[in-house]
Amino acid sequence: MDEVRNPFAPGAGSQPPELAGRDRILQDARIAVQRAIFGKPTQSQILLGLRGVGKTVLLNKIEQIANDHGHLTSMIEAPEGIPLPVLLYPRIHQVLRKLSVIEQAKATAFSAMRALRSFASIFKVEMGDFALSVDPEMGTADSGNIEYDLAELFVRVGEAAKAAGRGWTLLIDEIQYIGEKDYGALIVAIHRTNQKGLPVLFFGAGLPQVAALSGDAKSYAERLFSYPSVGALDQKSAELAIKNPIEVEGERIAVDALHAIVAKTRGYPYFLQEWGYQAWNTADHSPIDAADVDQSSQKALRRLDDGFFRVRFDRLTPREREYVCAMAKLGNGPYKSGDVAEMMKEPPNKLGPMRASIIKKGMIYSPSYGDIDFTVPLFGDYLVRNWIEP
């Protein structure tokens, strides 16, 4: 069929044509941003899930919702090893510039600018093109203790937003890469603005271990945030994610073909987009049938193997590759660390540092004590197909 009209969008963070199965998460976000404007207590959210389940897509949608309801927004994708002050500075500067042109917020925005200048100076943030033409406010956000200083800065930003009748929503993707001390400071800052009834919200997204990291950082984090799980779609939602976009284009898909796509992808959103994309391009005419899906599956797997899976596998050292292959040989996870060690014929304590390194790289995580699993859906199948001898 016409490839130009192909409705599917397999890509990192690409908005799918049908955002199925996420209504509750989006509705909660919609309520939260409106309550924040009115100064009513509300929980921020941290979306938890594996790679490719649509967390980034949801963050982008929540950003749009926040903008639609009077919030200024700051979206950050956290890379490894970059301090939080460096990530926050240009975003907060941008927010304060926007608030500073609103008459009723000029004074509080100026005060927040001075606090930001103090914060940037004490944490040695290279300001460059974002240099502030204000003097620092001595004694504000400049103690050198990031928990105290970030909280003071967030309060100043929240006060400026409140004076303007606006809100501020901070969104951070890949929050598992934020350092422990910085993450703890972020939690304290959100807690402080909550206590003061300021219109500041935080939406994060990260791998499943983030919930435990939050609790480790601050015990009250479990009450401060809600932690929606973003996983594979149920059967009905997965079918809608394929069927509706096709029908919007005036085409059809046979029921058995639809069921085949859901079965092959196990309902994971990124894979649904890939299979839908390939099935559309493979079909000569409507309706797309099961033969089209079978024929397109090899193309879909090849693209995933060469891209989605391979780029992650290439980050591992040879010994780390042996470790994940040993996991895959055990079948479907979660896996016992001791079973992996036995498969590798190594004592479990010797493999501890290697396991920690693979976790740090975001390839595996610990869903519960003593267990490990892949952070990428169907990654074990990829290893079996390409790296494990029959």
Side-chain angles (χ1 to χ4, degrees):
M1 295 193 292
D2 183 3
E3 294 187 21
V4 174
R5 292 193 300 115
N6 191 326
F8 297 101
S14 299
Q15 176 76 48
E18 177 75 20
L19 195 54
R22 309 303 192 201
D23 294 346
R24 185 67 258 173
I25 292 173
L26 296 176
Q27 181 61 12
D28 287 347
R30 196 171 286 111
I31 292 169
V33 297
Q34 292 177 81
R35 285 178 62 85
I37 292 287
F38 293 118
K40 295 185 178 295
T42 188
Q43 281 185 312
S44 293
Q45 291 184 17
I46 297 180
L47 312 178
L48 303 178
L50 304 180
R51 306 283 187 192
V53 295
K55 301 187 300 297
T56 302
V57 168
L58 284 171
L59 275 192
N60 288 333
K61 184 65 176 177
I62 291 169
E63 181 183 29
Q64 179 187 326
I65 290 169
N67 281 321
D68 290 345
H69 288 90
H71 284 239
L72 300 175
T73 60
S74 303
M75 173 71 85
I76 295 171
E77 180 178 341
E80 292 183 72
I82 304 296
L84 187 60
V86 174
L87 297 174
L88 287 174
Y89 175 78
R91 272 70 172 198
I92 293 178
H93 181 206
Q94 182 183 50
V95 167
L96 293 177
R97 281 177 58 85
K98 291 177 179 178
L99 291 171
S100 68
V101 300
I102 300 172
E103 187 61 36
Q104 62 268 33
K106 282 185 176 179
T108 49
F110 181 75
S111 174
M113 285 274 197
R114 294 188 65 194
L116 179 60
R117 180 65 183 270
S118 298
F119 182 80
S121 297
I122 198 68
F123 289 102
K124 298 179 173 57
V125 177
E126 294 291 335
M127 291 179 276
D129 293 338
F130 296 100
L132 291 167
S133 56
V134 297
D135 293 326
E137 181 178 335
M138 303 304 293
T140 300
D142 63 357
S143 72
N145 183 315
I146 190 169
E147 282 196 8
Y148 299 153
D149 296 342
L150 192 64
E152 276 196 294
L153 177 59
F154 272 40
V155 166
R156 292 296 181 91
V157 178
E159 288 171 343
K162 184 177 181 179
R166 307 290 296 274
W168 176 44
T169 292
L170 173 65
L171 308 101
I172 303 182
D173 201 2
E174 303 285 10
I175 57 175
Q176 69 275 357
Y177 291 135
I178 295 177
E180 183 179 351
K181 184 179 292 186
D182 285 355
Y183 188 39
L186 177 62
I187 293 171
V188 170
I190 297 298
H191 188 217
R192 187 65 177 143
T193 56
N194 261 20
Q195 290 175 322
K196 287 183 167 289
L198 296 171
V200 175
L201 280 176
F202 171 66
F203 292 89
L207 295 174
Q209 67 261 33
V210 167
L213 295 176
S214 299
D216 291 343
K218 294 295 170 185
S219 60
Y220 53 75
E222 63 187 35
R223 304 186 300 279
L224 185 63
F225 303 123
S226 63
Y227 297 91
S229 177
V230 185
L233 299 178
D234 59 41
Q235 181 77 23
K236 181 179 178 181
S237 297
E239 290 179 5
L240 289 175
I242 295 294
K243 181 181 177 181
N244 284 0
I246 291 172
E247 292 185 347
V248 165
E249 292 295 331
E251 309 294 354
R252 293 179 298 116
I253 181 169
V255 172
D256 57 349
L258 189 60
H259 291 170
I261 289 177
V262 175
K264 289 176 183 295
T265 62
R266 300 183 200 173
Y268 283 103
Y270 184 87
F271 302 147
L272 285 166
Q273 293 299 304
E274 185 65 58
W275 255 264
Y277 179 83
Q278 296 295 347
W280 174 286
N281 288 347
T282 297
D284 292 326
H285 52 77
S286 182
I288 299 170
D289 60 26
D292 294 323
V293 173
D294 285 342
Q295 186 178 345
S296 65
S297 289
Q298 289 306 311
K299 297 177 184 177
L301 286 172
R302 193 177 310 117
R303 285 228 319 180
L304 290 168
D305 287 356
D306 293 344
F308 185 78
F309 293 126
R310 184 61 190 256
V311 295
R312 289 161 172 79
F313 187 71
D314 283 349
R315 296 187 65 204
L316 303 177
T317 67
R319 281 289 286 163
E320 289 169 349
R321 293 179 183 184
E322 289 180 32
Y323 190 95
V324 297
C325 284
M327 290 171 60
K329 289 176 184 177
L330 292 169
N332 294 325
Y335 312 92
K336 296 292 184 186
S337 297
D339 292 342
V340 179
E342 185 177 344
M343 175 67 70
M344 296 182 70
K345 297 180 172 55
E346 298 272 9
N349 61 337
K350 184 179 178 181
L351 296 176
M354 185 193 305
R355 181 173 62 251
S357 173
I358 304 172
I359 290 174
K360 187 175 181 181
K361 291 179 179 181
M363 289 303 308
I364 62 175
Y365 74 107
S366 177
S368 58
Y369 183 76
D371 289 344
I372 49 173
D373 206 349
F374 294 114
T375 61
V376 180
L378 310 185
F379 191 74
D381 293 352
Y382 159 75
L383 296 174
V384 170
R385 280 194 305 273
N386 295 277
W387 298 97
I388 296 175
E389 295 182 5

